[in-house]
């Protein structure tokens, strides 16, 4: 699918983004021959943009400042962290001018492309008009955006609270659930990530986000219904073009794995929380845990059970929302459920700090009775103008449809790699949210050691492909490119990944 803005005459396109465009630089092939002489480096697709010349800090100085003044928590990828300088749509450029195909979008954030011309133009216009007022004063940007966003959500999800990050959104969603229900206990899946604030750390169930320090109280975890790594799973469970390699005898309209996981959920309700609970948080597809999908029908039954015990159901759409899954605009719609609260961030403003919580009038009133909630920067003029532009681009350029078409194309190609390589245990996902889980072998499903996954990751980077990581053991590659990605770029990415797998197998054979 060709994107609408790429049909524009060159003169008009340069009005929106006046930088000079010509063939992009690509990575040097010198490293390739030093690794192996048996393969040809996959040829990177062309693009028509040239980055500005880098004129800032030296690489060594950046490392020095980072060590002295920034967080000591190790978060950067690669043995030599990548120093990025500029972005253009699906492409990123480092300080040396090397070009990379971005298949992780700043952690599933840059939905419509880096520095999209229309979004840039809107941001620049608003920057010259009004930056900030706080909610003490009205400005049209917030009202225009609220009307556009609410139109994309079903009744009765029509009341919007604007904040600045996913963690802040889920903090507020927790508060709403407790204020409305009058209860405390909230359930979330093992492997879930709902934020890194002191409050939401209680909901995030990954070891790297667990601490000896006191965090969110009243939070209980339940088994993640992971049909690949969990105790139950089969060949018809997922809402995906690609199923697990696990076999089952289920009829197409019946899933024994789903029934087993529901029993585990009931066990949590019967043993680990009070008789009346505040709510249940669920990502439609787990993000940080490696894009894990649940059995079809699970969330629908779980939501009903939660409501029977007085709780509300919260859909965390921070990574799944805004058309990324292709078939639907929101992830919860793919499960056939209607949540009581929806949190969203990341792709909402293409990387500009913005988030929101959408709920029903009834729940909003319950919060208002309990607290005069206020956010200084939430819904500021800049964020809302950019958010509106993002919604317009998604619609005008058919990016949701592109996610469906190109994402399915990629899933099927990656499934072929799973069949070809013993260490590719699972390929899963929907639209442009795809996980590739690496294993020692398909029979044991034991995670491939981190050092080996690191090597594959590095090789992809050297060939010009940037992908993410996830999973409890960092064993899963997360693929979530900007939604403007094309099939030729997908073909290049798959060939790069295949080449990296071949190199890994050759290293193991030596």
């Amino acid at each position: 699918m060709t994107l609408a803005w790429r049909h524009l005459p060159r003169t008009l396109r340069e009005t929106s983004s006046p930088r000079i465009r010509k063939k992009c630089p690509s990575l040097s092939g010198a490293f390739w021959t030093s690794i192996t002489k048996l393969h040809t480096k996959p040829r990177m697709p062309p693009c028509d943009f040239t980055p500005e010349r880098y004129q800032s800090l030296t690489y060594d100085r950046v490392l020095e400042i980072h060590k002295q003044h920034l967080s000591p928590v190790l978060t950067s990828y690669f043995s030599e962290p990548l120093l990025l300088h500029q972005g253009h749509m699906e492409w990123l450029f480092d300080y040396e001018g090397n070009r990379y195909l971005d298949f992780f979008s700043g952690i599933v954030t840059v939905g419509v492309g880096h520095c999209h011309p229309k979004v840039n133009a809107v941001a620049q216009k608003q920057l010259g008009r009004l930056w900030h007022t706080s909610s003490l004063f009205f400005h049209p940007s917030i009202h225009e955006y609220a009307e556009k966003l609410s139109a994309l959500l079903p009744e009765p999800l029509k009341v919007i609270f604007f904040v600045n990050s996913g963690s802040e959104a889920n903090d507020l969603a927790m508060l709403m659930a407790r204020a409305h229900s009058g209860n405390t206990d909230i359930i979330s899946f093992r492997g879930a990530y709902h934020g890194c604030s002191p409050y939401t750390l209680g909901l995030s169930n990954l070891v790297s986000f667990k601490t000896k320090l006191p965090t969110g109280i009243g939070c209980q975890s339940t088994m993640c219904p992971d049909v690949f790594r969990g105790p139950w799973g089969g060949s018809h469970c997922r809402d995906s073009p690609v199923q697990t390699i696990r076999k089952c005898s289920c009829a197409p309209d019946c899933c024994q794995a789903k029934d087993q996981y529901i029993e585990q959920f009931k066990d949590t309700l019967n043993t680990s929380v009070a008789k009346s609970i505040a709510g249940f948080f669920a990502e439609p597809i787990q993000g940080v845990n490696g894009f894990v999908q649940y059995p079809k029908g699970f969330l629908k039954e779980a939501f009903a059970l939660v409501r029977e015990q007085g709780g509300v159901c919260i859909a965390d759409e921070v990574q799944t929302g805004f058309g990324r899954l292709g078939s639907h605009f929101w992830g919860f719609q793919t499960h056939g459920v209607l949540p009581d609260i929806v949190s969203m961030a990341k792709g909402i403003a293409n990387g500009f700090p913005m988030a929101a919580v959408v709920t029903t009038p009834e729940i909003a009133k319950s919060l208002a009775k309990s607290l005069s909630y206020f956010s200084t920067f939430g819904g500021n003029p800049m964020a809302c103008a950019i958010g509106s532009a993002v919604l317009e681009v998604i619609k005008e350029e058919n990016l949701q449809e592109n996610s469906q078409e190109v994402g399915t194309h990629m899933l099927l190609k990656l499934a072929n790699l799973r069949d070809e390589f013993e260490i590719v245990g699972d390929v899963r996902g929907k639209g442009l949210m795809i996980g590739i889980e690496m294993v020692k072998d398909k029979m044991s499903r034991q995670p491939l050691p981190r050092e080996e996954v690191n090597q594959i990751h590095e090789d992809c980077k050297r060939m010009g492909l940037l992908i993410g990581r996830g999973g409890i053991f960092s064993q899963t590659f997360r693929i979530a490119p900007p939604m403007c990605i094309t099939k030729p770029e997908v073909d290049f990415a798959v060939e790069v990944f295949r080449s990296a797998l071949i190199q890994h197998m050759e290293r193991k054979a030596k």
Side-chain angles (χ1 to χ4, degrees):
M1 182 175 292
T2 304
L3 303 177
W5 78 272
R6 290 174 176 172
H7 289 300
L8 296 174
R10 179 172 295 276
T11 53
L12 181 58
R13 285 165 57 184
E14 290 178 353
T15 300
S16 300
S17 186
R19 295 166 291 193
I20 299 172
R21 292 183 174 86
K22 58 185 180 182
K23 187 175 180 181
C24 300
S26 58
L27 292 171
S28 166
F31 76 89
W32 183 258
T33 54
S34 68
I35 295 175
T36 175
K37 297 182 179 179
L38 298 178
H39 311 295
T40 302
K41 175 186 170 185
R43 186 172 181 176
M44 187 175 284
C47 77
D48 59 353
F49 175 81
T50 296
E52 300 165 358
R53 183 166 171 262
Y54 180 77
Q55 299 182 29
S56 189
L57 299 167
T58 65
Y59 185 80
D60 288 343
R61 183 63 180 144
V62 166
L63 295 182
E64 183 182 348
I65 292 171
H66 196 284
K67 184 176 181 180
Q68 291 178 351
H69 300 298
L70 296 178
S71 169
V73 176
L74 183 63
T75 57
S76 59
Y77 284 155
F78 310 122
S79 56
E80 294 183 3
L82 196 58
L83 176 57
L84 295 172
H85 165 50
Q86 198 163 358
H88 174 71
M89 301 306 288
E90 58 269 51
W91 301 102
L92 287 169
F93 304 86
D94 69 13
Y95 73 107
E96 294 178 314
N98 294 317
R99 176 164 57 111
Y100 302 87
L101 184 59
D102 182 8
F103 261 45
F104 199 36
S105 305
I107 315 181
V108 204
T109 298
V110 182
V112 304
H114 294 280
C115 301
H116 188 286
K118 178 167 184 170
V119 179
N120 272 9
V122 168
Q124 289 163 4
K125 185 176 180 179
Q126 187 64 46
L127 195 63
R129 178 184 291 153
L130 181 67
W131 290 24
H132 177 71
T133 64
S134 85
S135 57
L136 296 176
F137 306 96
F138 287 179
H139 59 86
S141 296
I142 191 171
H143 300 89
E144 291 169 359
Y145 182 64
E147 187 173 47
K148 291 177 183 177
L149 183 61
S150 64
L152 294 167
L153 286 145
E155 292 283 357
L157 296 168
K158 296 298 177 181
V159 183
I160 306 170
F161 293 76
F162 290 110
V163 290
N164 308 288
S165 71
S167 293
E168 191 179 347
N170 283 329
D171 261 345
L172 178 55
M174 292 175 75
L175 196 58
M176 284 180 177
R178 287 169 171 162
H180 183 67
S181 67
N183 303 318
T184 300
D185 288 336
I186 299 178
I187 299 170
S188 60
F189 287 130
R190 292 173 200 144
Y193 178 80
H194 295 289
C196 203
S197 67
Y199 216 28
T200 56
L201 280 172
L203 296 175
S204 297
N205 297 308
L206 291 152
V207 68
S208 53
F209 298 102
K210 290 301 180 185
T211 172
K212 297 178 182 178
L213 304 175
T215 56
I217 60 168
C219 298
Q220 298 292 338
S221 68
T222 191
M223 179 182 284
C224 174
D226 181 349
V227 296
F228 173 71
R229 183 159 293 284
W232 305 286
S235 51
H236 305 290
C237 299
R238 297 192 294 223
D239 175 21
S240 172
V242 180
Q243 300 295 325
T244 72
I245 57 172
R246 299 172 76 172
K247 302 302 179 184
C248 68
S249 57
C250 298
D253 58 346
C254 174
C255 181
Q256 296 175 27
K258 181 262 293 180
D259 295 340
Q260 295 284 356
Y261 286 117
I262 283 293
E263 289 303 312
Q264 291 294 313
F265 193 77
K266 289 178 180 177
D267 187 62
T268 299
L269 290 170
N270 290 333
T271 63
S272 302
V273 293
K275 290 182 179 180
S276 297
I277 64 174
F280 168 50
F281 269 77
E283 304 159 271
I285 294 177
Q286 278 195 332
V288 175
N289 197 27
F291 295 168
V292 173
Q293 290 183 278
Y294 322 128
K296 289 177 285 188
F298 177 89
L299 281 189
K300 184 173 284 188
E301 291 193 32
F303 275 26
L305 292 169
V306 167
R307 286 168 175 148
E308 285 175 10
Q309 292 197 207
V312 300
C313 299
I314 303 100
D316 181 340
E317 294 277 358
V318 170
Q319 296 194 35
T320 52
F322 297 92
R324 177 163 290 280
L325 302 189
S327 64
H328 297 78
F329 199 81
W330 303 108
F332 68 79
Q333 294 170 321
T334 69
H335 292 275
V337 298
L338 180 62
D340 304 293
I341 302 171
V342 181
S343 60
M344 57 192 74
K346 290 187 180 288
I348 191 173
N350 208 47
F352 192 88
M354 186 184 192
V357 182
V358 185
T359 189
T360 67
E362 186 182 10
I363 293 175
K365 288 175 184 175
S366 295
L367 178 70
K369 290 177 183 176
S370 302
L371 173 72
S372 297
Y373 184 80
F374 179 80
S375 173
T376 298
F377 298 107
N380 67 77
M382 285 295 298
C384 289
I386 292 170
S388 286
V390 167
L391 291 182
E392 289 170 12
V393 170
I394 292 171
K395 182 178 180 180
E396 292 166 0
E397 300 187 2
N398 299 314
L399 295 186
Q400 180 182 334
E401 293 80 1
N402 195 61
S403 294
Q404 175 75 359
E405 182 181 333
V406 178
T408 300
H409 174 76
M410 178 159 42
L411 275 161
L412 296 175
K413 278 185 163 289
L414 291 171
N416 291 335
L417 296 188
R418 180 199 62 188
D419 297 340
E420 182 180 356
F421 293 92
E422 181 67 14
I423 60 172
V424 180
D426 194 32
V427 170
R428 55 181 174 257
K430 190 171 172 60
L432 289 174
M433 192 169 184
I434 298 172
I436 308 171
E437 185 155 348
M438 308 303 294
V439 295
K440 290 181 179 178
D441 60 82
K442 288 183 171 69
M443 181 65 72
S444 71
R445 286 176 283 145
Q446 290 298 306
L448 193 68
R450 185 185 295 257
E451 319 81 67
E452 297 183 38
V453 181
N454 289 347
Q455 289 175 332
I456 296 169
H457 202 193
E458 293 270 3
D459 286 341
C460 287
K461 188 258 286 187
R462 291 190 190 102
M463 287 182 273
L465 177 66
L466 301 180
I467 53 180
R469 296 278 288 277
I472 294 172
F473 308 102
S474 193
Q475 80 280 18
T476 301
F477 290 112
R478 290 195 284 165
I479 294 177
M483 296 188 294
C484 56
I485 207 76
T486 65
K487 286 182 180 179
E489 290 158 353
V490 163
D491 294 343
F492 164 75
V494 172
E495 188 55 39
V496 165
F497 191 67
R498 184 176 185 276
S499 296
L501 294 175
I502 290 172
Q503 291 175 60
H504 172 75
M505 301 309 292
E506 289 175 346
R507 280 191 297 265
K508 293 280 288 183
K510 290 182 179 179

